[in-house]
PDB file of all heavy atoms in Angstrom:
ATOM      1  N   THR A   1     -11.456  29.004 -19.680  1.00 85.00           N
ATOM      2  CA  THR A   1     -11.646  27.721 -20.373  1.00 85.00           C
ATOM      3  C   THR A   1     -10.331  26.950 -20.481  1.00 85.00           C
ATOM      4  O   THR A   1     -10.295  25.734 -20.266  1.00 85.00           O
ATOM      5  CB  THR A   1     -12.230  27.962 -21.790  1.00 85.00           C
ATOM      6  OG1 THR A   1     -13.459  28.672 -21.649  1.00 85.00           O
ATOM      7  CG2 THR A   1     -12.486  26.653 -22.524  1.00 85.00           C
ATOM      8  N   ILE A   2      -9.247  27.681 -20.818  1.00 84.00           N
ATOM      9  CA  ILE A   2      -7.927  27.025 -20.945  1.00 84.00           C
ATOM     10  C   ILE A   2      -7.530  26.373 -19.615  1.00 84.00           C
ATOM     11  O   ILE A   2      -7.039  25.246 -19.582  1.00 84.00           O
ATOM     12  CB  ILE A   2      -6.849  28.030 -21.419  1.00 84.00           C
ATOM     13  CG1 ILE A   2      -7.073  28.365 -22.901  1.00 84.00           C
ATOM     14  CG2 ILE A   2      -5.443  27.479 -21.212  1.00 84.00           C
ATOM     15  CD1 ILE A   2      -6.232  29.511 -23.410  1.00 84.00           C
ATOM     16  N   ARG A   3      -7.787  27.119 -18.513  1.00 88.00           N
ATOM     17  CA  ARG A   3      -7.447  26.557 -17.191  1.00 88.00           C
ATOM     18  C   ARG A   3      -8.254  25.288 -16.917  1.00 88.00           C
ATOM     19  O   ARG A   3      -7.735  24.307 -16.405  1.00 88.00           O
ATOM     20  CB  ARG A   3      -7.683  27.595 -16.100  1.00 88.00           C
ATOM     21  CG  ARG A   3      -6.597  28.661 -16.019  1.00 88.00           C
ATOM     22  CD  ARG A   3      -6.608  29.383 -14.684  1.00 88.00           C
ATOM     23  NE  ARG A   3      -7.804  30.196 -14.512  1.00 88.00           N
ATOM     24  CZ  ARG A   3      -7.913  31.460 -14.938  1.00 88.00           C
ATOM     25  NH1 ARG A   3      -6.894  32.038 -15.582  1.00 88.00           N
ATOM     26  NH2 ARG A   3      -9.019  32.152 -14.736  1.00 88.00           N
ATOM     27  N   GLU A   4      -9.542  25.320 -17.276  1.00 87.00           N
ATOM     28  CA  GLU A   4     -10.402  24.152 -17.057  1.00 87.00           C
ATOM     29  C   GLU A   4      -9.947  22.968 -17.915  1.00 87.00           C
ATOM     30  O   GLU A   4      -9.909  21.829 -17.454  1.00 87.00           O
ATOM     31  CB  GLU A   4     -11.856  24.507 -17.384  1.00 87.00           C
ATOM     32  CG  GLU A   4     -12.529  25.353 -16.311  1.00 87.00           C
ATOM     33  CD  GLU A   4     -13.995  25.662 -16.642  1.00 87.00           C
ATOM     34  OE1 GLU A   4     -14.569  24.931 -17.473  1.00 87.00           O
ATOM     35  OE2 GLU A   4     -14.531  26.610 -16.070  1.00 87.00           O
ATOM     36  N   ILE A   5      -9.606  23.269 -19.193  1.00 85.00           N
ATOM     37  CA  ILE A   5      -9.143  22.204 -20.101  1.00 85.00           C
ATOM     38  C   ILE A   5      -7.842  21.591 -19.578  1.00 85.00           C
ATOM     39  O   ILE A   5      -7.650  20.371 -19.622  1.00 85.00           O
ATOM     40  CB  ILE A   5      -8.983  22.750 -21.544  1.00 85.00           C
ATOM     41  CG1 ILE A   5     -10.368  22.936 -22.169  1.00 85.00           C
ATOM     42  CG2 ILE A   5      -8.124  21.827 -22.401  1.00 85.00           C
ATOM     43  CD1 ILE A   5     -10.389  23.640 -23.513  1.00 85.00           C
ATOM     44  N   ASN A   6      -6.930  22.449 -19.071  1.00 87.00           N
ATOM     45  CA  ASN A   6      -5.667  21.948 -18.503  1.00 87.00           C
ATOM     46  C   ASN A   6      -5.918  21.050 -17.289  1.00 87.00           C
ATOM     47  O   ASN A   6      -5.257  20.026 -17.100  1.00 87.00           O
ATOM     48  CB  ASN A   6      -4.750  23.108 -18.114  1.00 87.00           C
ATOM     49  CG  ASN A   6      -4.139  23.779 -19.327  1.00 87.00           C
ATOM     50  OD1 ASN A   6      -4.083  23.175 -20.402  1.00 87.00           O
ATOM     51  ND2 ASN A   6      -3.690  25.013 -19.184  1.00 87.00           N
ATOM     52  N   LYS A   7      -6.886  21.452 -16.446  1.00 89.00           N
ATOM     53  CA  LYS A   7      -7.231  20.630 -15.276  1.00 89.00           C
ATOM     54  C   LYS A   7      -7.764  19.263 -15.712  1.00 89.00           C
ATOM     55  O   LYS A   7      -7.422  18.230 -15.133  1.00 89.00           O
ATOM     56  CB  LYS A   7      -8.298  21.339 -14.429  1.00 89.00           C
ATOM     57  CG  LYS A   7      -7.758  22.424 -13.524  1.00 89.00           C
ATOM     58  CD  LYS A   7      -8.891  23.058 -12.732  1.00 89.00           C
ATOM     59  CE  LYS A   7      -8.391  24.257 -11.922  1.00 89.00           C
ATOM     60  NZ  LYS A   7      -9.510  24.960 -11.272  1.00 89.00           N
ATOM     61  N   ILE A   8      -8.600  19.285 -16.765  1.00 88.00           N
ATOM     62  CA  ILE A   8      -9.147  18.025 -17.285  1.00 88.00           C
ATOM     63  C   ILE A   8      -8.022  17.160 -17.856  1.00 88.00           C
ATOM     64  O   ILE A   8      -7.993  15.946 -17.641  1.00 88.00           O
ATOM     65  CB  ILE A   8     -10.232  18.312 -18.363  1.00 88.00           C
ATOM     66  CG1 ILE A   8     -11.487  18.888 -17.682  1.00 88.00           C
ATOM     67  CG2 ILE A   8     -10.590  17.048 -19.141  1.00 88.00           C
ATOM     68  CD1 ILE A   8     -12.515  19.476 -18.631  1.00 88.00           C
ATOM     69  N   SER A   9      -7.064  17.790 -18.579  1.00 87.00           N
ATOM     70  CA  SER A   9      -5.915  17.045 -19.137  1.00 87.00           C
ATOM     71  C   SER A   9      -5.093  16.412 -18.025  1.00 87.00           C
ATOM     72  O   SER A   9      -4.668  15.248 -18.115  1.00 87.00           O
ATOM     73  CB  SER A   9      -5.017  17.971 -19.960  1.00 87.00           C
ATOM     74  OG  SER A   9      -5.699  18.424 -21.095  1.00 87.00           O
ATOM     75  N   GLN A  10      -4.863  17.182 -16.948  1.00 89.00           N
ATOM     76  CA  GLN A  10      -4.111  16.650 -15.811  1.00 89.00           C
ATOM     77  C   GLN A  10      -4.841  15.485 -15.151  1.00 89.00           C
ATOM     78  O   GLN A  10      -4.234  14.483 -14.777  1.00 89.00           O
ATOM     79  CB  GLN A  10      -3.861  17.761 -14.787  1.00 89.00           C
ATOM     80  CG  GLN A  10      -2.791  18.757 -15.209  1.00 89.00           C
ATOM     81  CD  GLN A  10      -2.693  19.948 -14.278  1.00 89.00           C
ATOM     82  OE1 GLN A  10      -3.369  20.006 -13.253  1.00 89.00           O
ATOM     83  NE2 GLN A  10      -1.863  20.909 -14.631  1.00 89.00           N
ATOM     84  N   ALA A  11      -6.175  15.647 -15.015  1.00 87.00           N
ATOM     85  CA  ALA A  11      -6.981  14.574 -14.422  1.00 87.00           C
ATOM     86  C   ALA A  11      -6.920  13.320 -15.286  1.00 87.00           C
ATOM     87  O   ALA A  11      -6.816  12.196 -14.773  1.00 87.00           O
ATOM     88  CB  ALA A  11      -8.424  15.032 -14.252  1.00 87.00           C
ATOM     89  N   MET A  12      -6.954  13.521 -16.622  1.00 87.00           N
ATOM     90  CA  MET A  12      -6.873  12.380 -17.553  1.00 87.00           C
ATOM     91  C   MET A  12      -5.520  11.684 -17.431  1.00 87.00           C
ATOM     92  O   MET A  12      -5.450  10.456 -17.317  1.00 87.00           O
ATOM     93  CB  MET A  12      -7.096  12.860 -18.985  1.00 87.00           C
ATOM     94  CG  MET A  12      -7.071  11.737 -20.010  1.00 87.00           C
ATOM     95  SD  MET A  12      -7.250  12.316 -21.711  1.00 87.00           S
ATOM     96  CE  MET A  12      -5.628  13.015 -22.000  1.00 87.00           C
ATOM     97  N   ASN A  13      -4.429  12.497 -17.445  1.00 86.00           N
ATOM     98  CA  ASN A  13      -3.079  11.922 -17.306  1.00 86.00           C
ATOM     99  C   ASN A  13      -2.930  11.171 -15.997  1.00 86.00           C
ATOM    100  O   ASN A  13      -2.330  10.097 -15.941  1.00 86.00           O
ATOM    101  CB  ASN A  13      -2.016  13.020 -17.404  1.00 86.00           C
ATOM    102  CG  ASN A  13      -1.930  13.616 -18.792  1.00 86.00           C
ATOM    103  OD1 ASN A  13      -2.316  12.970 -19.765  1.00 86.00           O
ATOM    104  ND2 ASN A  13      -1.457  14.848 -18.904  1.00 86.00           N
ATOM    105  N   SER A  14      -3.502  11.751 -14.938  1.00 86.00           N
ATOM    106  CA  SER A  14      -3.440  11.116 -13.617  1.00 86.00           C
ATOM    107  C   SER A  14      -4.174   9.775 -13.629  1.00 86.00           C
ATOM    108  O   SER A  14      -3.688   8.780 -13.076  1.00 86.00           O
ATOM    109  CB  SER A  14      -4.053  12.058 -12.582  1.00 86.00           C
ATOM    110  OG  SER A  14      -4.075  11.451 -11.324  1.00 86.00           O
ATOM    111  N   GLN A  15      -5.334   9.748 -14.290  1.00 86.00           N
ATOM    112  CA  GLN A  15      -6.129   8.515 -14.379  1.00 86.00           C
ATOM    113  C   GLN A  15      -5.396   7.456 -15.200  1.00 86.00           C
ATOM    114  O   GLN A  15      -5.376   6.275 -14.840  1.00 86.00           O
ATOM    115  CB  GLN A  15      -7.474   8.841 -15.036  1.00 86.00           C
ATOM    116  CG  GLN A  15      -8.550   7.784 -14.867  1.00 86.00           C
ATOM    117  CD  GLN A  15      -9.326   7.950 -13.581  1.00 86.00           C
ATOM    118  OE1 GLN A  15      -9.365   9.032 -13.041  1.00 86.00           O
ATOM    119  NE2 GLN A  15      -9.920   6.881 -13.099  1.00 86.00           N
ATOM    120  N   VAL A  16      -4.758   7.886 -16.313  1.00 83.00           N
ATOM    121  CA  VAL A  16      -4.001   6.949 -17.167  1.00 83.00           C
ATOM    122  C   VAL A  16      -2.799   6.405 -16.397  1.00 83.00           C
ATOM    123  O   VAL A  16      -2.500   5.203 -16.441  1.00 83.00           O
ATOM    124  CB  VAL A  16      -3.557   7.636 -18.488  1.00 83.00           C
ATOM    125  CG1 VAL A  16      -2.560   6.767 -19.247  1.00 83.00           C
ATOM    126  CG2 VAL A  16      -4.755   7.947 -19.362  1.00 83.00           C
ATOM    127  N   GLU A  17      -2.093   7.293 -15.662  1.00 83.00           N
ATOM    128  CA  GLU A  17      -0.934   6.863 -14.870  1.00 83.00           C
ATOM    129  C   GLU A  17      -1.349   5.876 -13.782  1.00 83.00           C
ATOM    130  O   GLU A  17      -0.635   4.912 -13.504  1.00 83.00           O
ATOM    131  CB  GLU A  17      -0.242   8.082 -14.251  1.00 83.00           C
ATOM    132  CG  GLU A  17       0.653   8.820 -15.224  1.00 83.00           C
ATOM    133  CD  GLU A  17       1.283  10.076 -14.640  1.00 83.00           C
ATOM    134  OE1 GLU A  17       1.220  10.234 -13.410  1.00 83.00           O
ATOM    135  OE2 GLU A  17       1.805  10.875 -15.425  1.00 83.00           O
ATOM    136  N   LYS A  18      -2.505   6.143 -13.163  1.00 85.00           N
ATOM    137  CA  LYS A  18      -3.016   5.233 -12.124  1.00 85.00           C
ATOM    138  C   LYS A  18      -3.302   3.858 -12.711  1.00 85.00           C
ATOM    139  O   LYS A  18      -2.986   2.821 -12.117  1.00 85.00           O
ATOM    140  CB  LYS A  18      -4.278   5.832 -11.504  1.00 85.00           C
ATOM    141  CG  LYS A  18      -4.728   5.112 -10.245  1.00 85.00           C
ATOM    142  CD  LYS A  18      -5.981   5.742  -9.672  1.00 85.00           C
ATOM    143  CE  LYS A  18      -6.474   4.942  -8.462  1.00 85.00           C
ATOM    144  NZ  LYS A  18      -7.765   5.447  -7.967  1.00 85.00           N
ATOM    145  N   LEU A  19      -3.907   3.862 -13.917  1.00 85.00           N
ATOM    146  CA  LEU A  19      -4.189   2.596 -14.608  1.00 85.00           C
ATOM    147  C   LEU A  19      -2.886   1.863 -14.930  1.00 85.00           C
ATOM    148  O   LEU A  19      -2.775   0.649 -14.717  1.00 85.00           O
ATOM    149  CB  LEU A  19      -4.979   2.877 -15.892  1.00 85.00           C
ATOM    150  CG  LEU A  19      -5.266   1.667 -16.801  1.00 85.00           C
ATOM    151  CD1 LEU A  19      -6.169   0.658 -16.105  1.00 85.00           C
ATOM    152  CD2 LEU A  19      -5.891   2.109 -18.122  1.00 85.00           C
ATOM    153  N   MET A  20      -1.879   2.629 -15.422  1.00 83.00           N
ATOM    154  CA  MET A  20      -0.572   2.037 -15.741  1.00 83.00           C
ATOM    155  C   MET A  20       0.060   1.431 -14.499  1.00 83.00           C
ATOM    156  O   MET A  20       0.627   0.347 -14.535  1.00 83.00           O
ATOM    157  CB  MET A  20       0.365   3.111 -16.321  1.00 83.00           C
ATOM    158  CG  MET A  20       0.059   3.500 -17.744  1.00 83.00           C
ATOM    159  SD  MET A  20       1.197   4.757 -18.360  1.00 83.00           S
ATOM    160  CE  MET A  20       2.662   3.790 -18.652  1.00 83.00           C
ATOM    161  N   GLU A  21      -0.059   2.158 -13.373  1.00 85.00           N
ATOM    162  CA  GLU A  21       0.528   1.681 -12.116  1.00 85.00           C
ATOM    163  C   GLU A  21      -0.148   0.388 -11.649  1.00 85.00           C
ATOM    164  O   GLU A  21       0.528  -0.526 -11.160  1.00 85.00           O
ATOM    165  CB  GLU A  21       0.383   2.769 -11.036  1.00 85.00           C
ATOM    166  CG  GLU A  21       1.312   2.533  -9.861  1.00 85.00           C
ATOM    167  CD  GLU A  21       1.348   3.712  -8.903  1.00 85.00           C
ATOM    168  OE1 GLU A  21       1.557   4.854  -9.351  1.00 85.00           O
ATOM    169  OE2 GLU A  21       1.159   3.469  -7.704  1.00 85.00           O
ATOM    170  N   GLU A  22      -1.467   0.317 -11.819  1.00 87.00           N
ATOM    171  CA  GLU A  22      -2.199  -0.903 -11.418  1.00 87.00           C
ATOM    172  C   GLU A  22      -1.741  -2.107 -12.242  1.00 87.00           C
ATOM    173  O   GLU A  22      -1.502  -3.193 -11.708  1.00 87.00           O
ATOM    174  CB  GLU A  22      -3.705  -0.694 -11.601  1.00 87.00           C
ATOM    175  CG  GLU A  22      -4.346   0.175 -10.526  1.00 87.00           C
ATOM    176  CD  GLU A  22      -5.791   0.540 -10.843  1.00 87.00           C
ATOM    177  OE1 GLU A  22      -6.336  -0.004 -11.830  1.00 87.00           O
ATOM    178  OE2 GLU A  22      -6.360   1.363 -10.105  1.00 87.00           O
ATOM    179  N   ILE A  23      -1.628  -1.895 -13.570  1.00 89.00           N
ATOM    180  CA  ILE A  23      -1.183  -2.977 -14.461  1.00 89.00           C
ATOM    181  C   ILE A  23       0.248  -3.379 -14.119  1.00 89.00           C
ATOM    182  O   ILE A  23       0.571  -4.561 -14.000  1.00 89.00           O
ATOM    183  CB  ILE A  23      -1.266  -2.541 -15.954  1.00 89.00           C
ATOM    184  CG1 ILE A  23      -2.697  -2.157 -16.345  1.00 89.00           C
ATOM    185  CG2 ILE A  23      -0.697  -3.604 -16.879  1.00 89.00           C
ATOM    186  CD1 ILE A  23      -3.687  -3.281 -16.452  1.00 89.00           C
ATOM    187  N   ALA A  24       1.113  -2.348 -13.949  1.00 89.00           N
ATOM    188  CA  ALA A  24       2.530  -2.608 -13.645  1.00 89.00           C
ATOM    189  C   ALA A  24       2.670  -3.316 -12.302  1.00 89.00           C
ATOM    190  O   ALA A  24       3.462  -4.260 -12.175  1.00 89.00           O
ATOM    191  CB  ALA A  24       3.306  -1.295 -13.640  1.00 89.00           C
ATOM    192  N   LEU A  25       1.906  -2.873 -11.294  1.00 91.00           N
ATOM    193  CA  LEU A  25       1.986  -3.487  -9.955  1.00 91.00           C
ATOM    194  C   LEU A  25       1.640  -4.971 -10.028  1.00 91.00           C
ATOM    195  O   LEU A  25       2.299  -5.804  -9.396  1.00 91.00           O
ATOM    196  CB  LEU A  25       1.041  -2.763  -8.994  1.00 91.00           C
ATOM    197  CG  LEU A  25       1.011  -3.288  -7.557  1.00 91.00           C
ATOM    198  CD1 LEU A  25       2.371  -3.150  -6.898  1.00 91.00           C
ATOM    199  CD2 LEU A  25      -0.035  -2.564  -6.730  1.00 91.00           C
ATOM    200  N   PHE A  26       0.622  -5.300 -10.806  1.00 91.00           N
ATOM    201  CA  PHE A  26       0.216  -6.703 -10.942  1.00 91.00           C
ATOM    202  C   PHE A  26       1.366  -7.539 -11.512  1.00 91.00           C
ATOM    203  O   PHE A  26       1.666  -8.630 -11.025  1.00 91.00           O
ATOM    204  CB  PHE A  26      -1.022  -6.806 -11.847  1.00 91.00           C
ATOM    205  CG  PHE A  26      -1.464  -8.218 -12.106  1.00 91.00           C
ATOM    206  CD1 PHE A  26      -2.128  -8.945 -11.134  1.00 91.00           C
ATOM    207  CD2 PHE A  26      -1.197  -8.826 -13.333  1.00 91.00           C
ATOM    208  CE1 PHE A  26      -2.516 -10.263 -11.371  1.00 91.00           C
ATOM    209  CE2 PHE A  26      -1.587 -10.136 -13.579  1.00 91.00           C
ATOM    210  CZ  PHE A  26      -2.253 -10.856 -12.595  1.00 91.00           C
ATOM    211  N   VAL A  27       2.019  -7.005 -12.564  1.00 92.00           N
ATOM    212  CA  VAL A  27       3.108  -7.742 -13.231  1.00 92.00           C
ATOM    213  C   VAL A  27       4.356  -7.801 -12.346  1.00 92.00           C
ATOM    214  O   VAL A  27       4.962  -8.860 -12.167  1.00 92.00           O
ATOM    215  CB  VAL A  27       3.455  -7.084 -14.597  1.00 92.00           C
ATOM    216  CG1 VAL A  27       4.643  -7.778 -15.257  1.00 92.00           C
ATOM    217  CG2 VAL A  27       2.252  -7.117 -15.521  1.00 92.00           C
ATOM    218  N   VAL A  28       4.732  -6.641 -11.765  1.00 94.00           N
ATOM    219  CA  VAL A  28       5.988  -6.536 -10.995  1.00 94.00           C
ATOM    220  C   VAL A  28       5.897  -7.292  -9.667  1.00 94.00           C
ATOM    221  O   VAL A  28       6.791  -8.063  -9.319  1.00 94.00           O
ATOM    222  CB  VAL A  28       6.348  -5.046 -10.746  1.00 94.00           C
ATOM    223  CG1 VAL A  28       7.556  -4.928  -9.840  1.00 94.00           C
ATOM    224  CG2 VAL A  28       6.605  -4.338 -12.068  1.00 94.00           C
ATOM    225  N   LYS A  29       4.814  -7.070  -8.925  1.00 93.00           N
ATOM    226  CA  LYS A  29       4.674  -7.691  -7.591  1.00 93.00           C
ATOM    227  C   LYS A  29       4.719  -9.216  -7.675  1.00 93.00           C
ATOM    228  O   LYS A  29       5.340  -9.880  -6.842  1.00 93.00           O
ATOM    229  CB  LYS A  29       3.372  -7.233  -6.933  1.00 93.00           C
ATOM    230  CG  LYS A  29       3.255  -7.631  -5.460  1.00 93.00           C
ATOM    231  CD  LYS A  29       1.997  -7.044  -4.839  1.00 93.00           C
ATOM    232  CE  LYS A  29       1.914  -7.393  -3.359  1.00 93.00           C
ATOM    233  NZ  LYS A  29       1.806  -8.835  -3.107  1.00 93.00           N
ATOM    234  N   GLN A  30       4.063  -9.749  -8.708  1.00 93.00           N
ATOM    235  CA  GLN A  30       4.034 -11.201  -8.911  1.00 93.00           C
ATOM    236  C   GLN A  30       5.461 -11.775  -8.961  1.00 93.00           C
ATOM    237  O   GLN A  30       5.750 -12.814  -8.359  1.00 93.00           O
ATOM    238  CB  GLN A  30       3.328 -11.498 -10.242  1.00 93.00           C
ATOM    239  CG  GLN A  30       2.266 -12.557 -10.139  1.00 93.00           C
ATOM    240  CD  GLN A  30       1.572 -12.766 -11.484  1.00 93.00           C
ATOM    241  OE1 GLN A  30       1.999 -12.273 -12.533  1.00 93.00           O
ATOM    242  NE2 GLN A  30       0.495 -13.505 -11.468  1.00 93.00           N
ATOM    243  N   ARG A  31       6.337 -11.065  -9.670  1.00 94.00           N
ATOM    244  CA  ARG A  31       7.702 -11.571  -9.874  1.00 94.00           C
ATOM    245  C   ARG A  31       8.608 -11.265  -8.685  1.00 94.00           C
ATOM    246  O   ARG A  31       9.456 -12.078  -8.331  1.00 94.00           O
ATOM    247  CB  ARG A  31       8.275 -10.966 -11.170  1.00 94.00           C
ATOM    248  CG  ARG A  31       7.700 -11.635 -12.399  1.00 94.00           C
ATOM    249  CD  ARG A  31       7.695 -10.776 -13.641  1.00 94.00           C
ATOM    250  NE  ARG A  31       7.147 -11.521 -14.772  1.00 94.00           N
ATOM    251  CZ  ARG A  31       5.853 -11.730 -14.980  1.00 94.00           C
ATOM    252  NH1 ARG A  31       4.970 -11.231 -14.133  1.00 94.00           N
ATOM    253  NH2 ARG A  31       5.434 -12.433 -16.019  1.00 94.00           N
ATOM    254  N   ILE A  32       8.414 -10.101  -8.066  1.00 95.00           N
ATOM    255  CA  ILE A  32       9.258  -9.761  -6.904  1.00 95.00           C
ATOM    256  C   ILE A  32       8.870 -10.612  -5.685  1.00 95.00           C
ATOM    257  O   ILE A  32       9.722 -10.927  -4.855  1.00 95.00           O
ATOM    258  CB  ILE A  32       9.190  -8.249  -6.602  1.00 95.00           C
ATOM    259  CG1 ILE A  32       9.936  -7.479  -7.705  1.00 95.00           C
ATOM    260  CG2 ILE A  32       9.786  -7.916  -5.239  1.00 95.00           C
ATOM    261  CD1 ILE A  32      10.074  -5.993  -7.500  1.00 95.00           C
ATOM    262  N   ASP A  33       7.606 -11.014  -5.600  1.00 95.00           N
ATOM    263  CA  ASP A  33       7.174 -11.881  -4.486  1.00 95.00           C
ATOM    264  C   ASP A  33       7.934 -13.206  -4.468  1.00 95.00           C
ATOM    265  O   ASP A  33       8.169 -13.781  -3.405  1.00 95.00           O
ATOM    266  CB  ASP A  33       5.669 -12.141  -4.561  1.00 95.00           C
ATOM    267  CG  ASP A  33       4.851 -10.984  -3.983  1.00 95.00           C
ATOM    268  OD1 ASP A  33       5.467 -10.111  -3.316  1.00 95.00           O
ATOM    269  OD2 ASP A  33       3.626 -10.928  -4.191  1.00 95.00           O
ATOM    270  N   VAL A  34       8.316 -13.683  -5.642  1.00 94.00           N
ATOM    271  CA  VAL A  34       9.108 -14.931  -5.727  1.00 94.00           C
ATOM    272  C   VAL A  34      10.451 -14.724  -5.022  1.00 94.00           C
ATOM    273  O   VAL A  34      10.920 -15.588  -4.267  1.00 94.00           O
ATOM    274  CB  VAL A  34       9.330 -15.340  -7.208  1.00 94.00           C
ATOM    275  CG1 VAL A  34      10.233 -16.556  -7.314  1.00 94.00           C
ATOM    276  CG2 VAL A  34       7.986 -15.611  -7.880  1.00 94.00           C
ATOM    277  N   LEU A  35      11.084 -13.546  -5.253  1.00 94.00           N
ATOM    278  CA  LEU A  35      12.362 -13.228  -4.590  1.00 94.00           C
ATOM    279  C   LEU A  35      12.151 -13.009  -3.096  1.00 94.00           C
ATOM    280  O   LEU A  35      12.992 -13.387  -2.291  1.00 94.00           O
ATOM    281  CB  LEU A  35      12.978 -11.975  -5.224  1.00 94.00           C
ATOM    282  CG  LEU A  35      13.610 -12.137  -6.607  1.00 94.00           C
ATOM    283  CD1 LEU A  35      14.109 -10.803  -7.118  1.00 94.00           C
ATOM    284  CD2 LEU A  35      14.750 -13.123  -6.580  1.00 94.00           C
ATOM    285  N   ARG A  36      11.031 -12.382  -2.736  1.00 94.00           N
ATOM    286  CA  ARG A  36      10.742 -12.159  -1.309  1.00 94.00           C
ATOM    287  C   ARG A  36      10.654 -13.484  -0.559  1.00 94.00           C
ATOM    288  O   ARG A  36      11.138 -13.601   0.567  1.00 94.00           O
ATOM    289  CB  ARG A  36       9.425 -11.381  -1.153  1.00 94.00           C
ATOM    290  CG  ARG A  36       9.540  -9.899  -1.521  1.00 94.00           C
ATOM    291  CD  ARG A  36       8.292  -9.146  -1.120  1.00 94.00           C
ATOM    292  NE  ARG A  36       8.390  -7.729  -1.449  1.00 94.00           N
ATOM    293  CZ  ARG A  36       7.709  -7.130  -2.418  1.00 94.00           C
ATOM    294  NH1 ARG A  36       6.855  -7.831  -3.164  1.00 94.00           N
ATOM    295  NH2 ARG A  36       7.854  -5.844  -2.653  1.00 94.00           N
ATOM    296  N   ASP A  37      10.041 -14.480  -1.178  1.00 94.00           N
ATOM    297  CA  ASP A  37       9.927 -15.795  -0.539  1.00 94.00           C
ATOM    298  C   ASP A  37      11.290 -16.467  -0.413  1.00 94.00           C
ATOM    299  O   ASP A  37      11.584 -17.118   0.584  1.00 94.00           O
ATOM    300  CB  ASP A  37       8.988 -16.706  -1.352  1.00 94.00           C
ATOM    301  CG  ASP A  37       7.530 -16.279  -1.215  1.00 94.00           C
ATOM    302  OD1 ASP A  37       7.221 -15.545  -0.243  1.00 94.00           O
ATOM    303  OD2 ASP A  37       6.700 -16.654  -2.072  1.00 94.00           O
TER     304      ASP A  37
END
């Protein structure tokens, strides 16, 4: 059970990190694209 709970915790952290990356990418890319141009 502990192993299963740890796997679920890792999956949750991974999902939260993915969400954070999506939000961050939207904010960061918008501003760096100005410099790219």
Side-chain angles (χ1 to χ4, degrees):
T1 302
I2 288 170
R3 283 199 292 273
E4 284 182 20
I5 285 172
N6 286 339
K7 280 180 186 174
I8 289 168
S9 294
Q10 285 172 5
M12 182 183 75
N13 292 337
S14 177
Q15 196 86 23
V16 169
E17 280 177 13
K18 191 180 176 186
L19 175 64
M20 285 180 76
E21 197 170 309
E22 284 171 8
I23 301 289
L25 180 62
F26 177 75
V27 176
V28 174
K29 190 175 182 297
Q30 229 178 11
R31 284 154 179 78
I32 289 185
D33 279 347
V34 175
L35 286 177
R36 286 190 179 109
D37 288 341

